[in-house]
Amino acid sequence: MLQSLVSEKKIDCDVHVTLPTTAKLMPYLDDYWREQVTTRGIDRLELTSDISNIGPALRPDWKASSDVQTVRRLALEPFGTDIAICNCLYGAQAVYNADLAVALCRAMNDWLAEEFLSKDERLRGSIILPWQHPEKAALEIERLASDRRFVQVSMIAMGDMPLGRRAMWPIYAAAEAHGFPVGIHSGTTYRFAPWTNGWPSYHIEDQVAQSVGVQTQLLSLITEGVFEEYPKLKVVLIDSGVTWLPSFLWRIDKLWRGLRMEVPWLKRSPTEIVSEHVRLTLQPFDGPKDAQVIRELVEQVGEHMLLFSTDYPRWNFDGTDAVPLQGQPDLMRKLRTENPFETYARLREV
């Protein structure tokens, strides 16, 4: 059955759906939080780092994916997509109040299930986690684990602390137990400056810093021993770019060989660990347009580590071409079918 699925299904690993306003969550909040949201005037909680609300960041022939018909018409059908994994970026993961974050994330997950997953069998969901309270985040994973339409849990790259810290481990324990990869999406809660030397002046600086933020989180996960503690865990780096990975691994491998006494639990090189546990979505593809150079880059990163994604409805780097590897059908089949099925265990369930 698995081989049959792999040979047929085309998967988009990053489609963004949009929560227009907090008002959409009212039916999914209990009485207390409904009153709190209303009386406190919490009408919108947009992440500043989310470029979905910036007109020039959207493809001109696409529009915000706030309803299933739009996703179906613009994201699924043009690309012949059989399964699309939906990610929703919203400020619930940025609020300081952990209890409010728990309530909003729970409501968002129920909204996603009702308004998207229930209306098109091709859609799958990422569980939005209130990482501000890791134990409650783990409970949210437990709550939705029986809903097989959810295939991933979702976190933002730059928040309060390095994601490898022991305090975050309840999330990874629950994710591994239920077969969820952890999706780490570029983005920031702006608790701290995205650069270590202070706040930037321009949006372009913020966007470049996103890949750096993802790198630091990957480094944290490796050195803290998350993958040693949870050997079945997969992590998907979403919207992080891909060209930075080879040089990142060369550097960390070199330093690990000299400083491995500091992290004795790492029995393998970081490159080996990343090759087994980490995957990256293809968009935004930050490589050149030269086909031969792209092929060499893919070989350096590793074909098995890349996952096809359109990043709908946004564009970065590629203009209107969401498939920089066109003309290489065997490679595209691997990135669009084989690799996603290997990464997302819950996709293999019928």
Side-chain angles (χ1 to χ4, degrees):
M1 178 62 71
L2 173 58
Q3 187 59 42
S4 174
L5 286 172
V6 168
S7 66
E8 297 174 5
K9 303 293 185 181
K10 297 180 176 63
I11 301 168
D12 185 340
C13 295
D14 184 30
V15 165
H16 290 278
V17 298
T18 303
L19 178 64
T21 66
T22 310
K24 293 290 185 180
L25 298 182
M26 290 301 184
Y28 308 101
L29 293 167
D30 63 27
D31 291 341
Y32 173 79
W33 288 111
R34 194 177 301 120
E35 180 183 5
Q36 286 290 305
V37 167
T38 301
T39 58
R40 293 166 63 180
I42 306 175
D43 57 344
R44 302 183 75 89
L45 287 170
E46 297 174 344
L47 289 169
T48 304
S49 59
D50 178 17
I51 62 174
S52 297
N53 298 304
I54 301 175
L58 306 183
R59 280 180 42 160
D61 55 334
W62 284 354
K63 65 178 182 177
S65 47
S66 57
D67 61 82
V68 72
Q69 292 83 7
T70 299
V71 173
R72 192 181 287 144
R73 179 170 55 88
L74 298 178
L76 302 183
E77 294 169 2
F79 294 93
T81 297
D82 297 299
I83 298 174
I85 300 174
C86 298
N87 291 294
C88 185
L89 301 181
Y90 198 62
Q93 291 186 316
V95 299
Y96 283 95
N97 184 332
D99 294 321
L100 176 59
V102 170
L104 290 174
C105 288
R106 182 185 179 103
M108 287 178 64
N109 291 324
D110 291 343
W111 166 82
L112 178 64
E114 179 64 26
E115 298 299 326
F116 287 89
L117 309 187
S118 295
K119 295 181 178 180
D120 196 307
E121 63 181 10
R122 292 172 290 183
L123 300 180
R124 302 294 187 273
S126 295
I127 299 174
I128 299 106
L129 294 182
W131 57 267
Q132 300 93 322
H133 195 316
E135 289 79 11
K136 291 291 182 67
L139 289 177
E140 183 66 0
I141 295 173
E142 297 283 349
R143 182 178 78 91
L144 293 171
S146 62
D147 188 338
R148 314 313 288 185
R149 298 171 301 177
F150 285 99
V151 299
Q152 179 175 251
V153 302
S154 178
M155 303 174 74
I156 293 177
M158 292 185 279
D160 275 6
M161 70 171 71
L163 293 179
R165 292 281 178 86
R166 305 310 197 263
M168 307 300 289
W169 284 19
I171 293 173
Y172 309 134
E176 182 190 54
H178 294 288
F180 289 108
V182 175
I184 300 177
H185 199 290
S186 64
T188 177
T189 60
Y190 285 112
R191 300 286 199 264
F192 309 100
W195 294 109
T196 57
N197 55 353
W199 290 96
S201 300
Y202 304 105
H203 190 72
I204 186 174
E205 296 175 89
D206 173 272
Q207 289 297 295
V208 172
Q210 297 299 320
S211 63
V212 179
V214 171
Q215 292 174 49
T216 60
Q217 296 294 16
L218 177 57
L219 182 59
S220 175
L221 293 168
I222 295 168
T223 55
E224 294 275 1
V226 170
F227 299 117
E228 305 302 318
E229 185 73 15
Y230 305 104
K232 296 181 181 179
L233 187 68
K234 285 283 197 301
V235 167
V236 179
L237 307 180
I238 306 171
D239 273 16
S240 67
V242 299
T243 60
W244 56 267
L245 186 64
S247 60
F248 170 85
L249 291 176
W250 296 334
R251 182 175 179 79
I252 188 177
D253 275 2
K254 178 179 176 62
L255 292 171
W256 169 75
R257 286 192 290 270
L259 299 171
R260 60 193 301 176
M261 76 291 291
E262 186 184 25
V263 285
W265 45 84
L266 296 187
K267 306 301 183 183
R268 299 176 295 162
S269 72
T271 290
E272 292 178 86
I273 294 171
V274 169
S275 179
E276 179 180 347
H277 292 278
V278 178
R279 302 293 181 261
L280 301 89
T281 59
L282 191 61
Q283 287 291 340
F285 188 75
D286 48 358
K289 293 185 177 182
D290 185 282
Q292 180 58 36
V293 176
I294 290 176
R295 181 69 202 191
E296 293 172 359
L297 174 62
V298 170
E299 290 175 355
Q300 289 181 10
V301 172
E303 291 182 0
H304 69 289
M305 294 185 61
L306 297 175
L307 304 171
F308 173 79
S309 65
T310 59
D311 197 24
Y312 166 85
R314 302 182 293 176
W315 64 358
N316 279 312
F317 303 104
D318 286 337
T320 55
D321 181 11
V323 190
L325 301 172
Q326 283 181 341
Q328 303 182 57
D330 291 340
L331 178 58
M332 280 303 300
R333 181 178 180 277
K334 189 171 185 64
L335 272 56
R336 198 173 185 187
T337 302
E338 295 176 12
N339 291 353
F341 272 107
E342 184 273 333
T343 303
Y344 297 95
R346 294 165 69 98
L347 286 182
R348 302 196 291 264
E349 302 169 1
V350 180

